[in-house]
Amino acid sequence: QLQLHETGPGLVKPSETLSLTCNVSGGSININNYFWGWVRQPPGKGLEWIGNIYYSGSTYYNPSLKSRLTISLDTPKNQFSLKLTSVTASDSGVYYCTRYMGSSGGDDCWGQGTLVTVSS
Amino acid sequence: DIQMTQSPSSLSASVGDRVSITCRASETVGTYLNWYQQKAGKAPKLLISAGSSLQGGVPSRFSGSGSGTDFTLTISSLQPEDFATYYCQQSYSSRRTFGQGTKVEIK
């Protein structure tokens, strides 16, 4: 059974870079028709789509984050990553990695989420 | 970007009630509309994809309907484990967007 697990620092200083990794187990990320992505949730608020990457490496980003965001695949390690530069307190929240099938499928597999706090 | 608006933002209901949540898109999304359930402290769970396709293991009391810009999630008989927050999401555009959520509380 596919499992996703986010790892990364729980505390990041303002203006620095947030780096998170999603480790995928129980299946390969290098499979045709699968997309891998990130969703975040500020404390007490709703879900925000961050971006996705296709198994081929094509990326799709939230326009509001695009200038600061990079999502990449590491196929040999079976993981994918998020880097968000110049973070501020508004980037704090729980970050989830997800998987969906087909360009229009729903996110049918989620990691447990990791809490990131941006603070000095 | 496509904006998704859910209503109501919250509702109070009793066990056994029929509950409906609506989701409106700012432009057509065809049937590319997904519904998620999120319980406190947990990751969201996909309930329905493509407007009305129930995911495996999801109770049949959940149903989805609609196309174009207007969609509805219905719970036919609310159960104690259904108290949660529900989100719609459009997957018509490669730049996906979520509704703001509807919190279903115990009356």
Side-chain angles (χ1 to χ4, degrees), chain A residues 41 45-47 49 60-61 63 96 100 103-108 110-111, chain B residues 1 32 34 36 38 42-44 46 49 55 87 89 91 94-96 98 100:
Chain A
Q41 186 168 36
K45 296 189 178 181
L47 303 172
W49 177 76
Y60 309 87
Y61 295 155
Y96 297 98
Y100 65 92
S103 61
S104 301
D107 297 77
D108 62 352
W110 294 66
Chain B
D1 283 349
Y32 295 116
N34 310 307
Y36 298 85
Q38 186 180 33
K42 300 294 187 181
L46 179 64
S49 62
Q55 296 299 292
Y87 294 91
Q89 176 205 46
S91 52
S94 59
R95 298 191 300 270
R96 300 178 162 214
F98 289 95
Q100 81 278 17

PDB file of all heavy atoms in Angstrom, chain A residues 41 45-47 49 60-61 63 96 100 103-108 110-111, chain B residues 1 32 34 36 38 42-44 46 49 55 87 89 91 94-96 98 100:
ATOM      1  N   GLN A  41      -1.771  24.054   4.970  1.00  0.00           N
ATOM      2  CA  GLN A  41      -2.920  24.506   5.753  1.00  0.00           C
ATOM      3  C   GLN A  41      -2.433  25.380   6.899  1.00  0.00           C
ATOM      4  O   GLN A  41      -1.879  24.870   7.879  1.00  0.00           O
ATOM      5  CB  GLN A  41      -3.695  23.305   6.294  1.00  0.00           C
ATOM      6  CG  GLN A  41      -4.987  23.655   7.007  1.00  0.00           C
ATOM      7  CD  GLN A  41      -5.834  22.418   7.258  1.00  0.00           C
ATOM      8  OE1 GLN A  41      -5.332  21.330   7.537  1.00  0.00           O
ATOM      9  NE2 GLN A  41      -7.155  22.584   7.157  1.00  0.00           N
ATOM     10  N   LYS A  45      -6.985  27.345   9.501  1.00  0.00           N
ATOM     11  CA  LYS A  45      -7.550  27.799   8.230  1.00  0.00           C
ATOM     12  C   LYS A  45      -7.736  26.640   7.256  1.00  0.00           C
ATOM     13  O   LYS A  45      -7.542  25.480   7.610  1.00  0.00           O
ATOM     14  CB  LYS A  45      -6.648  28.876   7.620  1.00  0.00           C
ATOM     15  CG  LYS A  45      -6.580  30.134   8.479  1.00  0.00           C
ATOM     16  CD  LYS A  45      -5.874  31.250   7.759  1.00  0.00           C
ATOM     17  CE  LYS A  45      -5.865  32.525   8.607  1.00  0.00           C
ATOM     18  NZ  LYS A  45      -5.184  33.656   7.905  1.00  0.00           N
ATOM     19  N   GLY A  46      -8.120  26.977   6.027  1.00  0.00           N
ATOM     20  CA  GLY A  46      -8.417  25.966   5.032  1.00  0.00           C
ATOM     21  C   GLY A  46      -7.199  25.492   4.259  1.00  0.00           C
ATOM     22  O   GLY A  46      -6.065  25.883   4.535  1.00  0.00           O
ATOM     23  N   LEU A  47      -7.472  24.636   3.282  1.00  0.00           N
ATOM     24  CA  LEU A  47      -6.424  24.027   2.478  1.00  0.00           C
ATOM     25  C   LEU A  47      -6.012  24.935   1.328  1.00  0.00           C
ATOM     26  O   LEU A  47      -6.852  25.575   0.692  1.00  0.00           O
ATOM     27  CB  LEU A  47      -6.921  22.693   1.913  1.00  0.00           C
ATOM     28  CG  LEU A  47      -7.390  21.663   2.928  1.00  0.00           C
ATOM     29  CD1 LEU A  47      -8.041  20.475   2.206  1.00  0.00           C
ATOM     30  CD2 LEU A  47      -6.221  21.175   3.776  1.00  0.00           C
ATOM     31  N   TRP A  49      -3.676  24.730  -2.218  1.00  0.00           N
ATOM     32  CA  TRP A  49      -2.879  23.965  -3.167  1.00  0.00           C
ATOM     33  C   TRP A  49      -1.574  24.712  -3.453  1.00  0.00           C
ATOM     34  O   TRP A  49      -1.587  25.902  -3.774  1.00  0.00           O
ATOM     35  CB  TRP A  49      -3.661  23.760  -4.458  1.00  0.00           C
ATOM     36  CG  TRP A  49      -2.913  23.053  -5.525  1.00  0.00           C
ATOM     37  CD1 TRP A  49      -2.633  21.719  -5.600  1.00  0.00           C
ATOM     38  CD2 TRP A  49      -2.306  23.641  -6.672  1.00  0.00           C
ATOM     39  NE1 TRP A  49      -1.910  21.457  -6.737  1.00  0.00           N
ATOM     40  CE2 TRP A  49      -1.694  22.612  -7.412  1.00  0.00           C
ATOM     41  CE3 TRP A  49      -2.242  24.954  -7.161  1.00  0.00           C
ATOM     42  CZ2 TRP A  49      -1.011  22.850  -8.597  1.00  0.00           C
ATOM     43  CZ3 TRP A  49      -1.563  25.187  -8.353  1.00  0.00           C
ATOM     44  CH2 TRP A  49      -0.959  24.138  -9.057  1.00  0.00           C
ATOM     45  N   TYR A  60       3.656  22.265 -12.018  1.00  0.00           N
ATOM     46  CA  TYR A  60       2.502  23.169 -12.018  1.00  0.00           C
ATOM     47  C   TYR A  60       2.467  23.836 -10.653  1.00  0.00           C
ATOM     48  O   TYR A  60       2.413  23.151  -9.632  1.00  0.00           O
ATOM     49  CB  TYR A  60       1.213  22.376 -12.249  1.00  0.00           C
ATOM     50  CG  TYR A  60       1.288  21.476 -13.454  1.00  0.00           C
ATOM     51  CD1 TYR A  60       1.806  20.194 -13.341  1.00  0.00           C
ATOM     52  CD2 TYR A  60       0.878  21.914 -14.697  1.00  0.00           C
ATOM     53  CE1 TYR A  60       1.907  19.368 -14.449  1.00  0.00           C
ATOM     54  CE2 TYR A  60       0.962  21.094 -15.801  1.00  0.00           C
ATOM     55  CZ  TYR A  60       1.489  19.824 -15.675  1.00  0.00           C
ATOM     56  OH  TYR A  60       1.595  19.009 -16.768  1.00  0.00           O
ATOM     57  N   TYR A  61       2.526  25.166 -10.640  1.00  0.00           N
ATOM     58  CA  TYR A  61       2.655  25.884  -9.383  1.00  0.00           C
ATOM     59  C   TYR A  61       1.486  26.838  -9.146  1.00  0.00           C
ATOM     60  O   TYR A  61       0.914  27.415 -10.073  1.00  0.00           O
ATOM     61  CB  TYR A  61       3.938  26.715  -9.365  1.00  0.00           C
ATOM     62  CG  TYR A  61       5.239  25.925  -9.405  1.00  0.00           C
ATOM     63  CD1 TYR A  61       6.396  26.515  -9.900  1.00  0.00           C
ATOM     64  CD2 TYR A  61       5.311  24.614  -8.935  1.00  0.00           C
ATOM     65  CE1 TYR A  61       7.596  25.822  -9.922  1.00  0.00           C
ATOM     66  CE2 TYR A  61       6.508  23.917  -8.960  1.00  0.00           C
ATOM     67  CZ  TYR A  61       7.650  24.519  -9.454  1.00  0.00           C
ATOM     68  OH  TYR A  61       8.843  23.842  -9.472  1.00  0.00           O
ATOM     69  N   PRO A  63       0.099  30.224  -8.673  1.00  0.00           N
ATOM     70  CA  PRO A  63       0.655  31.500  -9.148  1.00  0.00           C
ATOM     71  C   PRO A  63       1.130  32.412  -8.014  1.00  0.00           C
ATOM     72  O   PRO A  63       2.101  33.153  -8.193  1.00  0.00           O
ATOM     73  CB  PRO A  63      -0.513  32.130  -9.900  1.00  0.00           C
ATOM     74  CG  PRO A  63      -1.360  30.983 -10.322  1.00  0.00           C
ATOM     75  CD  PRO A  63      -1.238  29.976  -9.226  1.00  0.00           C
ATOM     76  N   TYR A  96       1.333  19.095   3.579  1.00  0.00           N
ATOM     77  CA  TYR A  96       1.028  17.714   3.211  1.00  0.00           C
ATOM     78  C   TYR A  96       1.589  17.414   1.826  1.00  0.00           C
ATOM     79  O   TYR A  96       1.501  18.256   0.912  1.00  0.00           O
ATOM     80  CB  TYR A  96      -0.478  17.492   3.139  1.00  0.00           C
ATOM     81  CG  TYR A  96      -1.255  17.673   4.417  1.00  0.00           C
ATOM     82  CD1 TYR A  96      -1.927  18.861   4.686  1.00  0.00           C
ATOM     83  CD2 TYR A  96      -1.349  16.639   5.344  1.00  0.00           C
ATOM     84  CE1 TYR A  96      -2.665  19.025   5.854  1.00  0.00           C
ATOM     85  CE2 TYR A  96      -2.084  16.783   6.507  1.00  0.00           C
ATOM     86  CZ  TYR A  96      -2.737  17.987   6.757  1.00  0.00           C
ATOM     87  OH  TYR A  96      -3.477  18.130   7.912  1.00  0.00           O
ATOM     88  N   TYR A 100      -1.921  12.040  -6.962  1.00  0.00           N
ATOM     89  CA  TYR A 100      -3.145  11.802  -7.703  1.00  0.00           C
ATOM     90  C   TYR A 100      -2.813  11.202  -9.065  1.00  0.00           C
ATOM     91  O   TYR A 100      -1.696  11.321  -9.565  1.00  0.00           O
ATOM     92  CB  TYR A 100      -4.011  13.057  -7.830  1.00  0.00           C
ATOM     93  CG  TYR A 100      -3.444  14.210  -8.618  1.00  0.00           C
ATOM     94  CD1 TYR A 100      -3.695  14.348  -9.984  1.00  0.00           C
ATOM     95  CD2 TYR A 100      -2.713  15.198  -7.972  1.00  0.00           C
ATOM     96  CE1 TYR A 100      -3.202  15.427 -10.693  1.00  0.00           C
ATOM     97  CE2 TYR A 100      -2.213  16.283  -8.679  1.00  0.00           C
ATOM     98  CZ  TYR A 100      -2.459  16.391 -10.035  1.00  0.00           C
ATOM     99  OH  TYR A 100      -1.968  17.464 -10.733  1.00  0.00           O
ATOM    100  N   SER A 103      -4.442  13.676 -15.005  1.00  0.00           N
ATOM    101  CA  SER A 103      -4.303  15.123 -14.821  1.00  0.00           C
ATOM    102  C   SER A 103      -5.456  15.731 -14.031  1.00  0.00           C
ATOM    103  O   SER A 103      -5.327  16.824 -13.488  1.00  0.00           O
ATOM    104  CB  SER A 103      -4.191  15.804 -16.178  1.00  0.00           C
ATOM    105  OG  SER A 103      -5.370  15.551 -16.943  1.00  0.00           O
ATOM    106  N   SER A 104      -6.568  15.022 -13.910  1.00  0.00           N
ATOM    107  CA  SER A 104      -7.742  15.593 -13.250  1.00  0.00           C
ATOM    108  C   SER A 104      -8.235  14.760 -12.084  1.00  0.00           C
ATOM    109  O   SER A 104      -9.325  15.005 -11.570  1.00  0.00           O
ATOM    110  CB  SER A 104      -8.872  15.763 -14.266  1.00  0.00           C
ATOM    111  OG  SER A 104      -8.460  16.602 -15.331  1.00  0.00           O
ATOM    112  N   GLY A 105      -7.446  13.821 -11.634  1.00  0.00           N
ATOM    113  CA  GLY A 105      -7.882  12.976 -10.529  1.00  0.00           C
ATOM    114  C   GLY A 105      -7.850  13.701  -9.200  1.00  0.00           C
ATOM    115  O   GLY A 105      -7.228  14.757  -9.049  1.00  0.00           O
ATOM    116  N   GLY A 106      -8.530  13.123  -8.226  1.00  0.00           N
ATOM    117  CA  GLY A 106      -8.482  13.650  -6.875  1.00  0.00           C
ATOM    118  C   GLY A 106      -7.235  13.145  -6.159  1.00  0.00           C
ATOM    119  O   GLY A 106      -6.664  12.126  -6.526  1.00  0.00           O
ATOM    120  N   ASP A 107      -6.804  13.883  -5.113  1.00  0.00           N
ATOM    121  CA  ASP A 107      -5.641  13.476  -4.335  1.00  0.00           C
ATOM    122  C   ASP A 107      -6.047  12.306  -3.440  1.00  0.00           C
ATOM    123  O   ASP A 107      -6.661  12.517  -2.385  1.00  0.00           O
ATOM    124  CB  ASP A 107      -5.136  14.647  -3.497  1.00  0.00           C
ATOM    125  CG  ASP A 107      -4.658  15.806  -4.357  1.00  0.00           C
ATOM    126  OD1 ASP A 107      -5.513  16.534  -4.881  1.00  0.00           O
ATOM    127  OD2 ASP A 107      -3.436  15.950  -4.505  1.00  0.00           O
ATOM    128  N   ASP A 108      -5.692  11.101  -3.859  1.00  0.00           N
ATOM    129  CA  ASP A 108      -6.200   9.928  -3.175  1.00  0.00           C
ATOM    130  C   ASP A 108      -5.247   9.367  -2.129  1.00  0.00           C
ATOM    131  O   ASP A 108      -5.586   8.416  -1.434  1.00  0.00           O
ATOM    132  CB  ASP A 108      -6.577   8.834  -4.181  1.00  0.00           C
ATOM    133  CG  ASP A 108      -5.389   8.342  -4.992  1.00  0.00           C
ATOM    134  OD1 ASP A 108      -4.291   8.941  -4.887  1.00  0.00           O
ATOM    135  OD2 ASP A 108      -5.559   7.367  -5.746  1.00  0.00           O
ATOM    136  N   TRP A 110      -2.402  10.797   0.891  1.00  0.00           N
ATOM    137  CA  TRP A 110      -1.845  11.951   1.595  1.00  0.00           C
ATOM    138  C   TRP A 110      -0.840  11.484   2.637  1.00  0.00           C
ATOM    139  O   TRP A 110      -1.019  10.434   3.267  1.00  0.00           O
ATOM    140  CB  TRP A 110      -2.954  12.718   2.315  1.00  0.00           C
ATOM    141  CG  TRP A 110      -3.960  13.383   1.418  1.00  0.00           C
ATOM    142  CD1 TRP A 110      -4.856  12.760   0.594  1.00  0.00           C
ATOM    143  CD2 TRP A 110      -4.183  14.781   1.280  1.00  0.00           C
ATOM    144  NE1 TRP A 110      -5.621  13.693  -0.059  1.00  0.00           N
ATOM    145  CE2 TRP A 110      -5.226  14.946   0.343  1.00  0.00           C
ATOM    146  CE3 TRP A 110      -3.601  15.913   1.848  1.00  0.00           C
ATOM    147  CZ2 TRP A 110      -5.704  16.206  -0.040  1.00  0.00           C
ATOM    148  CZ3 TRP A 110      -4.082  17.168   1.482  1.00  0.00           C
ATOM    149  CH2 TRP A 110      -5.120  17.307   0.541  1.00  0.00           C
ATOM    150  N   GLY A 111       0.188  12.301   2.854  1.00  0.00           N
ATOM    151  CA  GLY A 111       1.044  12.089   4.002  1.00  0.00           C
ATOM    152  C   GLY A 111       0.333  12.552   5.267  1.00  0.00           C
ATOM    153  O   GLY A 111      -0.758  13.127   5.191  1.00  0.00           O
TER     154      GLY A 111
ATOM    155  N   ASP B   1      -7.299  32.506 -11.975  1.00  0.00           N
ATOM    156  CA  ASP B   1      -7.536  31.200 -11.370  1.00  0.00           C
ATOM    157  C   ASP B   1      -9.014  30.992 -11.071  1.00  0.00           C
ATOM    158  O   ASP B   1      -9.768  31.939 -10.891  1.00  0.00           O
ATOM    159  CB  ASP B   1      -6.746  31.068 -10.063  1.00  0.00           C
ATOM    160  CG  ASP B   1      -5.270  30.803 -10.316  1.00  0.00           C
ATOM    161  OD1 ASP B   1      -4.918  30.531 -11.471  1.00  0.00           O
ATOM    162  OD2 ASP B   1      -4.489  30.875  -9.362  1.00  0.00           O
ATOM    163  N   TYR B  32     -14.996  17.977 -13.101  1.00  0.00           N
ATOM    164  CA  TYR B  32     -13.728  17.779 -12.411  1.00  0.00           C
ATOM    165  C   TYR B  32     -13.765  18.433 -11.030  1.00  0.00           C
ATOM    166  O   TYR B  32     -13.082  19.440 -10.761  1.00  0.00           O
ATOM    167  CB  TYR B  32     -12.575  18.313 -13.259  1.00  0.00           C
ATOM    168  CG  TYR B  32     -12.405  17.555 -14.550  1.00  0.00           C
ATOM    169  CD1 TYR B  32     -12.595  18.185 -15.783  1.00  0.00           C
ATOM    170  CD2 TYR B  32     -12.073  16.199 -14.535  1.00  0.00           C
ATOM    171  CE1 TYR B  32     -12.443  17.482 -16.971  1.00  0.00           C
ATOM    172  CE2 TYR B  32     -11.928  15.495 -15.724  1.00  0.00           C
ATOM    173  CZ  TYR B  32     -12.111  16.140 -16.929  1.00  0.00           C
ATOM    174  OH  TYR B  32     -11.967  15.441 -18.101  1.00  0.00           O
ATOM    175  N   ASN B  34     -13.819  17.475  -6.830  1.00  0.00           N
ATOM    176  CA  ASN B  34     -13.552  16.475  -5.809  1.00  0.00           C
ATOM    177  C   ASN B  34     -13.998  16.975  -4.443  1.00  0.00           C
ATOM    178  O   ASN B  34     -13.995  18.181  -4.194  1.00  0.00           O
ATOM    179  CB  ASN B  34     -12.054  16.166  -5.768  1.00  0.00           C
ATOM    180  CG  ASN B  34     -11.482  15.856  -7.132  1.00  0.00           C
ATOM    181  OD1 ASN B  34     -11.997  14.979  -7.838  1.00  0.00           O
ATOM    182  ND2 ASN B  34     -10.454  16.579  -7.530  1.00  0.00           N
ATOM    183  N   TYR B  36     -13.474  16.332  -0.178  1.00  0.00           N
ATOM    184  CA  TYR B  36     -12.616  15.771   0.861  1.00  0.00           C
ATOM    185  C   TYR B  36     -13.261  15.970   2.230  1.00  0.00           C
ATOM    186  O   TYR B  36     -13.973  16.954   2.460  1.00  0.00           O
ATOM    187  CB  TYR B  36     -11.247  16.461   0.874  1.00  0.00           C
ATOM    188  CG  TYR B  36     -10.460  16.306  -0.404  1.00  0.00           C
ATOM    189  CD1 TYR B  36     -10.670  17.163  -1.477  1.00  0.00           C
ATOM    190  CD2 TYR B  36      -9.509  15.299  -0.535  1.00  0.00           C
ATOM    191  CE1 TYR B  36      -9.957  17.014  -2.650  1.00  0.00           C
ATOM    192  CE2 TYR B  36      -8.785  15.144  -1.710  1.00  0.00           C
ATOM    193  CZ  TYR B  36      -9.023  16.014  -2.760  1.00  0.00           C
ATOM    194  OH  TYR B  36      -8.312  15.857  -3.936  1.00  0.00           O
ATOM    195  N   GLN B  38     -12.063  16.236   6.277  1.00  0.00           N
ATOM    196  CA  GLN B  38     -10.910  16.375   7.168  1.00  0.00           C
ATOM    197  C   GLN B  38     -11.383  16.411   8.623  1.00  0.00           C
ATOM    198  O   GLN B  38     -12.184  17.277   8.991  1.00  0.00           O
ATOM    199  CB  GLN B  38     -10.094  17.626   6.862  1.00  0.00           C
ATOM    200  CG  GLN B  38      -8.821  17.707   7.693  1.00  0.00           C
ATOM    201  CD  GLN B  38      -7.981  18.946   7.415  1.00  0.00           C
ATOM    202  OE1 GLN B  38      -8.510  20.005   7.108  1.00  0.00           O
ATOM    203  NE2 GLN B  38      -6.662  18.799   7.503  1.00  0.00           N
ATOM    204  N   LYS B  42      -5.994  15.597  11.425  1.00  0.00           N
ATOM    205  CA  LYS B  42      -5.727  14.541  10.448  1.00  0.00           C
ATOM    206  C   LYS B  42      -5.600  15.115   9.045  1.00  0.00           C
ATOM    207  O   LYS B  42      -6.045  16.226   8.762  1.00  0.00           O
ATOM    208  CB  LYS B  42      -6.863  13.509  10.450  1.00  0.00           C
ATOM    209  CG  LYS B  42      -7.072  12.824  11.794  1.00  0.00           C
ATOM    210  CD  LYS B  42      -5.891  11.965  12.170  1.00  0.00           C
ATOM    211  CE  LYS B  42      -6.179  11.163  13.424  1.00  0.00           C
ATOM    212  NZ  LYS B  42      -4.996  10.333  13.823  1.00  0.00           N
ATOM    213  N   ALA B  43      -4.987  14.314   8.167  1.00  0.00           N
ATOM    214  CA  ALA B  43      -4.926  14.696   6.762  1.00  0.00           C
ATOM    215  C   ALA B  43      -6.303  14.554   6.122  1.00  0.00           C
ATOM    216  O   ALA B  43      -7.115  13.728   6.555  1.00  0.00           O
ATOM    217  CB  ALA B  43      -3.916  13.817   6.033  1.00  0.00           C
ATOM    218  N   PRO B  44      -6.575  15.353   5.105  1.00  0.00           N
ATOM    219  CA  PRO B  44      -7.841  15.190   4.374  1.00  0.00           C
ATOM    220  C   PRO B  44      -7.928  13.812   3.742  1.00  0.00           C
ATOM    221  O   PRO B  44      -6.916  13.166   3.456  1.00  0.00           O
ATOM    222  CB  PRO B  44      -7.765  16.285   3.300  1.00  0.00           C
ATOM    223  CG  PRO B  44      -6.839  17.304   3.878  1.00  0.00           C
ATOM    224  CD  PRO B  44      -5.820  16.510   4.631  1.00  0.00           C
ATOM    225  N   LEU B  46      -9.966  11.770   0.549  1.00  0.00           N
ATOM    226  CA  LEU B  46     -10.778  11.911  -0.662  1.00  0.00           C
ATOM    227  C   LEU B  46     -12.039  11.058  -0.533  1.00  0.00           C
ATOM    228  O   LEU B  46     -11.958   9.857  -0.331  1.00  0.00           O
ATOM    229  CB  LEU B  46      -9.967  11.481  -1.884  1.00  0.00           C
ATOM    230  CG  LEU B  46     -10.677  11.546  -3.245  1.00  0.00           C
ATOM    231  CD1 LEU B  46     -11.038  12.972  -3.610  1.00  0.00           C
ATOM    232  CD2 LEU B  46      -9.794  10.914  -4.322  1.00  0.00           C
ATOM    233  N   SER B  49     -14.656  11.824  -6.271  1.00  0.00           N
ATOM    234  CA  SER B  49     -13.930  12.450  -7.363  1.00  0.00           C
ATOM    235  C   SER B  49     -14.842  12.541  -8.584  1.00  0.00           C
ATOM    236  O   SER B  49     -15.909  11.911  -8.634  1.00  0.00           O
ATOM    237  CB  SER B  49     -12.669  11.660  -7.695  1.00  0.00           C
ATOM    238  OG  SER B  49     -12.995  10.348  -8.137  1.00  0.00           O
ATOM    239  N   GLN B  55     -15.278   7.100  -3.697  1.00  0.00           N
ATOM    240  CA  GLN B  55     -14.044   6.357  -3.521  1.00  0.00           C
ATOM    241  C   GLN B  55     -14.326   5.051  -2.773  1.00  0.00           C
ATOM    242  O   GLN B  55     -15.264   4.950  -1.989  1.00  0.00           O
ATOM    243  CB  GLN B  55     -13.024   7.189  -2.763  1.00  0.00           C
ATOM    244  CG  GLN B  55     -12.572   8.429  -3.486  1.00  0.00           C
ATOM    245  CD  GLN B  55     -11.905   8.111  -4.807  1.00  0.00           C
ATOM    246  OE1 GLN B  55     -10.814   7.540  -4.862  1.00  0.00           O
ATOM    247  NE2 GLN B  55     -12.557   8.494  -5.902  1.00  0.00           N
ATOM    248  N   TYR B  87     -14.226  19.859   2.204  1.00  0.00           N
ATOM    249  CA  TYR B  87     -13.672  20.775   1.213  1.00  0.00           C
ATOM    250  C   TYR B  87     -13.998  20.276  -0.196  1.00  0.00           C
ATOM    251  O   TYR B  87     -13.877  19.074  -0.469  1.00  0.00           O
ATOM    252  CB  TYR B  87     -12.158  20.875   1.332  1.00  0.00           C
ATOM    253  CG  TYR B  87     -11.657  21.496   2.607  1.00  0.00           C
ATOM    254  CD1 TYR B  87     -11.359  20.711   3.717  1.00  0.00           C
ATOM    255  CD2 TYR B  87     -11.457  22.876   2.699  1.00  0.00           C
ATOM    256  CE1 TYR B  87     -10.893  21.279   4.896  1.00  0.00           C
ATOM    257  CE2 TYR B  87     -10.990  23.453   3.877  1.00  0.00           C
ATOM    258  CZ  TYR B  87     -10.717  22.649   4.968  1.00  0.00           C
ATOM    259  OH  TYR B  87     -10.244  23.224   6.133  1.00  0.00           O
ATOM    260  N   GLN B  89     -12.746  20.762  -4.279  1.00  0.00           N
ATOM    261  CA  GLN B  89     -11.519  21.095  -5.017  1.00  0.00           C
ATOM    262  C   GLN B  89     -11.784  20.908  -6.498  1.00  0.00           C
ATOM    263  O   GLN B  89     -12.322  19.865  -6.894  1.00  0.00           O
ATOM    264  CB  GLN B  89     -10.382  20.168  -4.592  1.00  0.00           C
ATOM    265  CG  GLN B  89      -9.076  20.349  -5.364  1.00  0.00           C
ATOM    266  CD  GLN B  89      -8.235  19.081  -5.365  1.00  0.00           C
ATOM    267  OE1 GLN B  89      -8.732  17.979  -5.608  1.00  0.00           O
ATOM    268  NE2 GLN B  89      -6.937  19.226  -5.086  1.00  0.00           N
ATOM    269  N   SER B  91     -10.322  20.186 -10.168  1.00  0.00           N
ATOM    270  CA  SER B  91      -9.137  19.630 -10.821  1.00  0.00           C
ATOM    271  C   SER B  91      -9.277  19.778 -12.343  1.00  0.00           C
ATOM    272  O   SER B  91      -8.652  19.043 -13.105  1.00  0.00           O
ATOM    273  CB  SER B  91      -8.943  18.163 -10.421  1.00  0.00           C
ATOM    274  OG  SER B  91     -10.128  17.408 -10.618  1.00  0.00           O
ATOM    275  N   SER B  94      -4.977  22.869 -14.329  1.00  0.00           N
ATOM    276  CA  SER B  94      -3.741  22.333 -13.754  1.00  0.00           C
ATOM    277  C   SER B  94      -3.360  23.102 -12.493  1.00  0.00           C
ATOM    278  O   SER B  94      -2.593  22.607 -11.667  1.00  0.00           O
ATOM    279  CB  SER B  94      -2.606  22.391 -14.772  1.00  0.00           C
ATOM    280  OG  SER B  94      -2.383  23.721 -15.200  1.00  0.00           O
ATOM    281  N   ARG B  95      -3.889  24.304 -12.343  1.00  0.00           N
ATOM    282  CA  ARG B  95      -3.698  25.080 -11.110  1.00  0.00           C
ATOM    283  C   ARG B  95      -4.941  24.850 -10.244  1.00  0.00           C
ATOM    284  O   ARG B  95      -5.938  25.552 -10.350  1.00  0.00           O
ATOM    285  CB  ARG B  95      -3.484  26.544 -11.425  1.00  0.00           C
ATOM    286  CG  ARG B  95      -2.240  26.808 -12.262  1.00  0.00           C
ATOM    287  CD  ARG B  95      -1.914  28.290 -12.321  1.00  0.00           C
ATOM    288  NE  ARG B  95      -2.989  29.070 -12.913  1.00  0.00           N
ATOM    289  CZ  ARG B  95      -3.080  29.317 -14.211  1.00  0.00           C
ATOM    290  NH1 ARG B  95      -2.197  28.837 -15.050  1.00  0.00           N
ATOM    291  NH2 ARG B  95      -4.080  30.061 -14.670  1.00  0.00           N
ATOM    292  N   ARG B  96      -4.828  23.867  -9.396  1.00  0.00           N
ATOM    293  CA  ARG B  96      -5.986  23.430  -8.594  1.00  0.00           C
ATOM    294  C   ARG B  96      -6.313  24.432  -7.505  1.00  0.00           C
ATOM    295  O   ARG B  96      -5.446  25.132  -7.006  1.00  0.00           O
ATOM    296  CB  ARG B  96      -5.682  22.066  -7.986  1.00  0.00           C
ATOM    297  CG  ARG B  96      -5.417  21.015  -9.052  1.00  0.00           C
ATOM    298  CD  ARG B  96      -5.079  19.673  -8.476  1.00  0.00           C
ATOM    299  NE  ARG B  96      -5.269  18.648  -9.517  1.00  0.00           N
ATOM    300  CZ  ARG B  96      -5.683  17.429  -9.305  1.00  0.00           C
ATOM    301  NH1 ARG B  96      -5.937  17.014  -8.082  1.00  0.00           N
ATOM    302  NH2 ARG B  96      -5.817  16.578 -10.304  1.00  0.00           N
ATOM    303  N   PHE B  98      -9.046  24.968  -3.893  1.00  0.00           N
ATOM    304  CA  PHE B  98      -9.981  24.424  -2.917  1.00  0.00           C
ATOM    305  C   PHE B  98     -11.035  25.469  -2.542  1.00  0.00           C
ATOM    306  O   PHE B  98     -10.766  26.682  -2.593  1.00  0.00           O
ATOM    307  CB  PHE B  98      -9.254  24.044  -1.626  1.00  0.00           C
ATOM    308  CG  PHE B  98      -8.368  22.833  -1.720  1.00  0.00           C
ATOM    309  CD1 PHE B  98      -7.011  22.968  -1.983  1.00  0.00           C
ATOM    310  CD2 PHE B  98      -8.879  21.552  -1.519  1.00  0.00           C
ATOM    311  CE1 PHE B  98      -6.179  21.860  -2.056  1.00  0.00           C
ATOM    312  CE2 PHE B  98      -8.064  20.438  -1.576  1.00  0.00           C
ATOM    313  CZ  PHE B  98      -6.711  20.589  -1.853  1.00  0.00           C
ATOM    314  N   GLN B 100     -13.311  27.038   0.650  1.00  0.00           N
ATOM    315  CA  GLN B 100     -12.840  27.475   1.966  1.00  0.00           C
ATOM    316  C   GLN B 100     -13.212  26.508   3.078  1.00  0.00           C
ATOM    317  O   GLN B 100     -12.735  26.658   4.210  1.00  0.00           O
ATOM    318  CB  GLN B 100     -13.392  28.872   2.295  1.00  0.00           C
ATOM    319  CG  GLN B 100     -14.811  28.900   2.822  1.00  0.00           C
ATOM    320  CD  GLN B 100     -15.866  28.831   1.730  1.00  0.00           C
ATOM    321  OE1 GLN B 100     -15.600  28.454   0.583  1.00  0.00           O
ATOM    322  NE2 GLN B 100     -17.087  29.214   2.096  1.00  0.00           N
TER     323      GLN B 100
END
